[in-house]
Amino acid sequence: MQPTEPQSTITPDQSTGAGLPPASPMQTPPVVGSSAMVAPPRKSRKKLLIITGAVLGVLLIGGTASAMWWTSPQKAFDDATSLNQALPKGGTVKGSIVVTPAGSPEVTFDFDTKYATNKMNTDLALKVNAGAVNLNLTGGVAYEADKSMFFKVNDVRKTITTFAGSSSGAIDQYYGGLIDKIDGKWVEMTSSDLKDLTKDSGADLSCATSTFTKLTTDQSYLKELSAMYDKNKYISIKDVVGSEKIDGRDSMHYTLAFDETKMKAYESAVKSSKFMQDFKKCVTNESSESTSLESSPAPQGFEIWVDKWSHKITKVMLTSDSEGTAVKMTAVFGYNDAQAVTIPKADTQFKDLKSEVESLQEMFMPASSTEEFSLDSI
């Protein structure tokens, strides 16, 4: 026997309103004003606003504190001078070295370097303010690891003429061929040339350069050297000068102090480092002093500028004054892992210069002297 649908006990006249269907006995129609249709109480909404405000406040305070910590002078300095910070893979270094001897002409050496992994190209300029006659030479040096080194000097003949005066004709007569091969020309020294040039000193220049290049790729080098420095931190902040713009980058300016005792301790520790041991392998002549690490005096003035946000060094300035000769070196650093570096095409091979020099030696020197002296011995 199937169950029958329950019959409503409410007549149409007893309905809740005109046109509304009769309510089911199992369901009570919602009543306007009942709890099911009422908005959340004011207290709940206020509580939600307080919680949201508190969370935002914590985030704001935490973010501000974090930014203040990150941009604090000490934090920026510690990061900038830490060897744990990986060396850049590419970028630029632009600056000058000015030497002012007492009673002698001022010498200015400008450099503009672009570098990337295993590549480097530097524009050079030498200026000597000698009063009546000034020397201005420009040139360049380029290098590609395990391949070649290039160098160039511009205006060689013009410079000789300026300084030699009436004697320049005789110089050109004998050395004109050599001058033609180097004046404004890129001279290439292959890895083989470099090896031959340094063999008598017991040093393998290609090996040494390759070892130094590994400082940017071998983390074990940096990790060990960093640990040694952390034990002997010989550079500290002497004064925070303030904030300055360096090539558009907000940078903190510091003057630094040196602890020479800790500096000597660090240099002593470095002698036993993996980096130094690998470098020593590039020297086959055990009597050679080329791998010795001599302690150098600290500069009298040392200032650095550090980017507030990246914590990378943006500028360095060193000054010293010894025995009447003042030296000032400044360098501004740029960072770009994708830095483009152009390696020049050779105009002259170094071996061709050797042939030219050897011909001049045969012309001016006795045979016995020529055998004892060669370009390889320079």
Side-chain angles (χ1 to χ4, degrees), residues 166-273:
S166 59
S167 301
S168 60
I171 293 174
D172 197 78
Q173 179 182 352
Y174 293 106
Y175 297 97
L178 179 62
I179 293 171
D180 287 339
K181 289 182 178 179
I182 64 173
D183 194 356
K185 307 289 180 64
W186 281 107
V187 179
E188 180 181 17
M189 298 177 69
T190 64
S191 56
S192 177
D193 293 331
L194 291 170
K195 192 170 184 178
D196 290 342
L197 193 63
T198 57
K199 65 182 178 182
D200 291 336
S201 68
D204 185 339
L205 188 58
S206 178
C207 169
T209 305
S210 178
T211 302
F212 272 103
T213 301
K214 284 182 182 178
L215 280 172
T216 62
T217 58
D218 192 333
Q219 290 299 315
S220 67
Y221 278 177
L222 289 177
K223 189 174 181 180
E224 184 181 28
L225 293 173
S226 177
M228 290 176 174
Y229 177 71
D230 287 342
K231 290 181 180 179
N232 303 281
K233 286 188 176 181
Y234 59 87
I235 303 175
S236 60
I237 299 173
K238 183 178 180 180
D239 187 27
V240 179
V241 180
S243 181
E244 298 176 22
K245 289 275 190 182
I246 304 296
D247 275 357
R249 295 166 288 176
D250 289 329
S251 303
M252 291 301 299
H253 179 188
Y254 306 83
T255 58
L256 306 182
F258 281 83
D259 185 322
E260 294 205 32
T261 300
K262 288 184 178 181
M263 183 171 69
K264 290 177 181 178
Y266 173 69
E267 291 174 347
S268 179
V270 169
K271 291 178 182 178
S272 62
S273 67

Side-chain angles (χ1 to χ4, degrees), residues 135-139 152-162 179 182-185:
L135 173 65
N136 291 282
L137 278 177
T138 61
K152 178 177 71 169
V153 181
N154 298 318
D155 298 325
V156 176
R157 180 174 272 107
K158 178 181 177 181
T159 302
I160 292 173
T161 301
T162 300
I179 293 171
I182 64 173
D183 194 356
K185 307 289 180 64

Side-chain angles (χ1 to χ4, degrees), residues 10-227:
I10 302 176
T11 64
D13 293 338
Q14 294 174 310
S15 65
T16 57
L20 293 176
S24 167
M26 305 296 291
Q27 179 180 357
T28 303
V31 179
V32 176
S34 71
S35 61
M37 298 295 290
V38 173
R42 280 183 167 280
K43 212 176 254 188
S44 299
R45 181 178 294 172
K46 193 173 183 181
K47 186 176 180 181
L48 180 62
L49 289 173
I50 291 172
I51 293 173
T52 302
V55 171
L56 290 174
V58 169
L59 292 175
L60 181 61
I61 293 171
T64 302
S66 178
M68 290 176 66
W69 167 76
W70 181 257
T71 59
S72 68
Q74 188 65 53
K75 172 62 177 172
F77 172 78
D78 289 342
D79 287 349
T81 56
S82 171
L83 293 179
N84 279 322
Q85 186 173 141
L87 292 177
K89 296 179 180 178
T92 60
V93 184
K94 186 175 183 179
S96 65
I97 300 172
V98 181
V99 181
T100 310
S104 299
E106 182 178 87
V107 178
T108 302
F109 184 74
D110 295 322
F111 55 89
D112 187 352
T113 298
K114 295 179 178 64
Y115 68 93
T117 303
N118 299 328
K119 290 182 179 181
M120 180 272 290
N121 191 323
T122 301
D123 293 328
L124 302 169
L126 176 66
K127 302 174 185 176
V128 180
N129 184 7
V133 180
N134 295 322
L135 173 65
N136 291 282
L137 278 177
T138 61
V141 176
Y143 177 77
E144 189 169 15
D146 300 324
K147 290 187 178 180
S148 298
M149 178 180 286
F150 302 80
F151 63 88
K152 178 177 71 169
V153 181
N154 298 318
D155 298 325
V156 176
R157 180 174 272 107
K158 178 181 177 181
T159 302
I160 292 173
T161 301
T162 300
F163 281 86
S166 59
S167 301
S168 60
I171 293 174
D172 197 78
Q173 179 182 352
Y174 293 106
Y175 297 97
L178 179 62
I179 293 171
D180 287 339
K181 289 182 178 179
I182 64 173
D183 194 356
K185 307 289 180 64
W186 281 107
V187 179
E188 180 181 17
M189 298 177 69
T190 64
S191 56
S192 177
D193 293 331
L194 291 170
K195 192 170 184 178
D196 290 342
L197 193 63
T198 57
K199 65 182 178 182
D200 291 336
S201 68
D204 185 339
L205 188 58
S206 178
C207 169
T209 305
S210 178
T211 302
F212 272 103
T213 301
K214 284 182 182 178
L215 280 172
T216 62
T217 58
D218 192 333
Q219 290 299 315
S220 67
Y221 278 177
L222 289 177
K223 189 174 181 180
E224 184 181 28
L225 293 173
S226 177

